[in-house]
Amino acid sequence: MLNSYINEHKRVEIQQDKLVAAEFIKSGTTVLVQPPLASVPLPAKRHQRCNYCLRKAQLQCCSRCRSAYFCSNECFRNAWLHFHRVLCEPQETDIYKDVDADRWLLERTALTLHSHARLNKQYSHSPTHLPFAIHALQLHHTLNTGTPTSSSVVENVAQFLEPFDCQISSEELVILWNKIQAGSFPILDGDHQFEQVAVGLYPITSLFVTHSCRPNAAVLYKQDTQYIITLEDILPGEKITIAYVDLISTKETRLNELRKKFGQEYVCDCVRCHGELSLIDIALEKGEKLGLSLEDGRKLISEHLKSWSILDMLRDAEIREKDSWSPIQVLEPPQFTHFVSRISAPTVYYASIDDRKQNQNSASLYKAYVKEDRAHILQRLPTAMTALLNVPQVPSFTISAIKAAENLLIELISKGNWVQTSRCALYLFVVYRLIYPPFHPKLAYHTLILARSGWNALVEMELIGVEKKLERIYANGTRTWIELARDAIDTTFGRESNFWRDVIELQWVYEREQKVKGI
């Protein structure tokens, strides 16, 4: 049954229960499209997103329960048929104001399964993808991933559904909950700030698509529909892989999370866990031994964002051009950023600081860079990680520092402090380049943030007056980052996305200002 669904996607096929390439697939290609079996907006987003399709639009509140919001009569009808008829009861208060998203997803999935069986008997309406998704969910192995929290969730849903004729026992809800853990995904807004807005259940993906900590594909979302896109060229017969866990984590943490989803026997044998890129985790684990808290990481990043001198870093780099960095005892964020950039991505590093080293013969710096990256990734990244391991302490490459920088970046953007924002964005760009493939959505979107913050910092510095050499470095960097963002957004998100319009507008403004200056 599921083969017929997969066969609708011509570039892939199922081999030994895994999704593989049926032909040569170029990077940036959509290989699988899947609406959810069920999805729920995060409680904080309920008033902003249609509670059925997750569309961001002008919504109408259900006049009966006053707790659900829909963008159209069609979405209200679909919701009513599958779950809302049970949930819609007159309430004195908004009962879903503080609802747990996991509980809500279990509740909605159980009702959708029940309503599908009822609608089939009545030969009534049910979305065409739903039978395939339900069949995929049934094929998932039942795993015992129970925790006190999950037991509480199941118990609450069982008590809630008991008055209704749903014919779902507590034992069946436990099995369903465990299967949902394997097939649920955070839904990120692919057009606005790339933030999580919902949780969805996509059992076809979790049944057939393999995990990797260095994936060759990733998931994107348009409203509630999941798209799997390739991050690199994939050969016929090669497995399609995505990341099911946060990659900014140690090997032990990732494995624990994977076993919660796929069972205690799960083992990851990817290139990062057991291959040429395993030095990334060795370096992260070494950093974790420093015992930095999130507050320590925040203090570290904050202090250096204020004092970071790009000119000093460049002078220091020139002095050490032929020397080893190993005599350094502690590698702080500014040194880390420049040091790792020069080793892992020299093309980008020199193009961003010196227009004489900009590759004028290349139609696209980023495409040339990615091509080089594909050819030498197993050489450059391990080389950079080996160099980091030679430094006694690298607090810059710790989970606490990275997470703190991500939080600080959001705060700095909201405050409009663009010089510090650009420094923070550059530090994270270098970190992401170590952890994610070049076209990964998180890295592609962050490159746009880097380009935008670089341009705003350049404008800010021109207003307050800075040294011409520093201004020129920021101008070169902004030009390079815009080109990086343009090609990354084009490949990953496509030219119909809001991100593409953002980067084209940014490039137009930058080039116009450079022409006015006669540069």
Side-chain angles (χ1 to χ4, degrees):
M1 179 180 181
L2 288 173
N3 281 332
S4 62
Y5 184 86
I6 298 298
N7 289 340
E8 296 176 6
H9 304 80
K10 304 299 183 183
R11 296 182 175 88
V12 292
E13 61 187 9
I14 301 299
Q15 290 184 10
Q16 297 179 339
D17 295 329
K18 301 298 179 185
L19 191 71
V20 303
E23 60 186 42
F24 175 78
I25 305 175
K26 294 185 64 176
S27 59
T29 302
T30 299
V31 294
L32 187 65
V33 179
Q34 182 186 179
L37 192 158
S39 65
V40 295
L42 297 182
K45 302 292 183 181
R46 275 190 313 117
H47 304 81
Q48 306 168 19
R49 300 276 172 169
C50 174
N51 292 185
Y52 183 78
C53 74
L54 301 181
R55 181 186 173 200
K56 190 173 184 178
Q58 185 174 357
L59 306 178
Q60 290 186 335
C61 180
C62 175
S63 59
R64 187 165 186 255
C65 68
R66 299 192 179 278
S67 297
Y69 299 81
F70 302 100
C71 67
S72 65
N73 288 333
E74 181 182 2
C75 281
F76 175 77
R77 177 175 178 270
N78 286 332
W80 182 265
L81 287 172
H82 289 98
F83 53 83
H84 193 58
R85 63 183 178 82
V86 172
L87 304 178
C88 187
E89 293 290 339
Q91 304 290 339
E92 294 182 2
T93 60
D94 186 348
I95 61 173
Y96 288 99
K97 182 179 179 181
D98 301 309
V99 70
D100 178 76
D102 287 335
R103 175 200 159 169
W104 201 9
L105 183 62
L106 175 60
E107 193 176 273
R108 187 169 290 190
T109 303
L111 290 171
T112 299
L113 294 175
H114 172 71
S115 65
H116 175 72
R118 177 178 56 84
L119 291 170
N120 276 355
K121 292 178 181 178
Q122 298 174 0
Y123 300 98
S124 186
H125 171 82
S126 193
T128 56
H129 76 279
L130 204 53
F132 299 105
I134 292 174
H135 185 54
L137 188 67
Q138 292 169 342
L139 292 177
H140 274 73
H141 296 297
T142 302
L143 304 172
N144 183 13
T145 59
T147 63
T149 301
S150 64
S151 299
S152 174
V153 169
V154 171
E155 183 178 336
N156 288 338
V157 173
Q159 290 176 355
F160 177 80
L161 296 178
E162 188 175 358
F164 306 102
D165 182 26
C166 293
Q167 301 174 352
I168 302 176
S169 66
S170 297
E171 292 74 16
E172 290 172 322
L173 280 176
V174 170
I175 294 173
L176 180 58
W177 168 262
N178 290 331
K179 291 184 176 183
I180 287 174
Q181 299 313 293
S184 63
F185 290 79
I187 297 176
L188 305 182
D189 185 348
D191 269 335
H192 299 89
Q193 300 180 353
F194 211 54
E195 63 177 346
Q196 183 178 354
V197 296
V199 181
L201 180 59
Y202 301 88
I204 296 176
T205 298
S206 54
L207 184 65
F208 292 126
V209 182
T210 306
H211 165 81
S212 172
C213 303
R214 188 74 181 189
N216 59 20
V219 295
L220 289 176
Y221 297 90
K222 295 180 181 178
Q223 296 179 24
D224 64 347
T225 301
Q226 184 187 79
Y227 295 75
I228 297 183
I229 61 158
T230 55
L231 304 179
E232 58 186 46
D233 297 345
I234 300 177
L235 299 176
E238 188 176 349
K239 290 180 183 178
I240 307 297
T241 61
I242 62 174
Y244 283 86
V245 294
D246 185 0
L247 297 182
I248 303 178
S249 55
T250 62
K251 178 181 176 181
E252 181 181 5
T253 299
R254 296 196 307 275
L255 184 58
N256 288 338
E257 291 302 312
L258 287 167
R259 286 178 172 173
K260 288 179 183 178
K261 290 182 75 72
F262 303 121
Q264 293 303 308
E265 303 301 318
Y266 185 88
V267 175
C268 181
D269 58 359
C270 73
V271 69
R272 179 172 165 185
C273 287
H274 296 285
E276 295 89 341
L277 300 183
S278 60
L279 287 176
I280 295 175
D281 284 311
I282 294 175
L284 277 174
E285 289 159 5
K286 177 183 175 182
E288 290 308 288
K289 292 179 181 178
L290 296 174
L292 296 183
S293 65
L294 187 60
E295 187 58 36
D296 293 331
R298 182 183 179 89
K299 182 179 179 181
L300 171 75
I301 299 298
S302 297
E303 290 178 351
H304 286 282
L305 290 182
K306 296 173 183 176
S307 61
W308 188 333
S309 170
I310 289 180
L311 291 179
D312 288 347
M313 288 298 100
L314 293 178
R315 295 188 190 104
D316 198 23
E318 290 173 1
I319 293 173
R320 298 175 177 273
E321 190 71 41
K322 296 182 180 180
D323 297 333
S324 169
W325 287 69
S326 55
I328 293 180
Q329 296 301 305
V330 181
L331 205 55
E332 305 290 7
Q335 293 91 345
F336 168 87
T337 301
H338 290 264
F339 171 50
V340 174
S341 295
R342 291 169 62 237
I343 299 175
S344 64
T347 306
V348 174
Y349 175 78
Y350 287 112
S352 63
I353 65 172
D354 191 344
D355 50 11
R356 293 172 299 178
K357 295 186 179 182
Q358 181 80 275
N359 186 0
Q360 300 293 343
N361 296 323
S362 174
S364 167
L365 169 68
Y366 195 69
K367 288 178 181 175
Y369 165 53
V370 172
K371 183 178 180 180
E372 178 193 43
D373 181 71
R374 289 171 182 164
H376 302 291
I377 188 171
L378 298 183
Q379 299 174 13
R380 291 199 177 279
L381 290 187
T383 300
M385 301 319 301
T386 299
L388 284 181
L389 289 169
N390 286 332
V391 180
Q393 293 188 28
V394 188
S396 313
F397 198 60
T398 58
I399 305 300
S400 297
I402 298 168
K403 296 296 184 181
E406 291 179 329
N407 294 333
L408 277 169
L409 182 66
I410 297 172
E411 295 176 19
L412 290 168
I413 290 174
S414 65
K415 293 178 181 178
N417 188 334
W418 294 111
V419 173
Q420 288 190 34
T421 299
S422 65
R423 294 167 181 168
C424 188
L426 183 57
Y427 160 74
L428 285 172
F429 174 75
V430 173
V431 170
Y432 291 168
R433 278 291 301 119
L434 296 175
I435 293 175
Y436 297 105
F439 286 138
H440 192 280
K442 187 166 184 175
L443 177 55
Y445 174 62
H446 183 76
T447 310
L448 174 59
I449 292 178
L450 176 60
R452 187 185 295 144
S453 63
W455 165 249
N456 288 334
L458 179 61
V459 173
E460 187 177 301
M461 287 188 294
E462 289 176 347
L463 291 174
I464 63 176
V466 295
E467 187 178 339
K468 287 296 182 183
K469 184 176 181 181
L470 180 60
E471 184 179 323
R472 187 172 69 251
I473 289 172
Y474 263 86
N476 290 336
T478 300
R479 174 187 58 199
T480 302
W481 300 330
I482 289 174
E483 187 169 359
L484 294 175
R486 178 188 169 105
D487 284 293
I489 296 298
D490 185 15
T491 299
T492 304
F493 296 100
R495 299 192 176 188
E496 299 301 317
S497 68
N498 288 339
F499 296 149
W500 174 255
R501 290 188 285 274
D502 290 345
V503 74
I504 291 302
E505 180 181 350
L506 180 61
Q507 184 176 41
W508 179 83
V509 171
Y510 172 82
E511 292 178 349
R512 182 194 63 185
E513 292 300 313
Q514 297 304 296
K515 287 180 181 178
V516 169
K517 295 177 182 178
I519 300 176

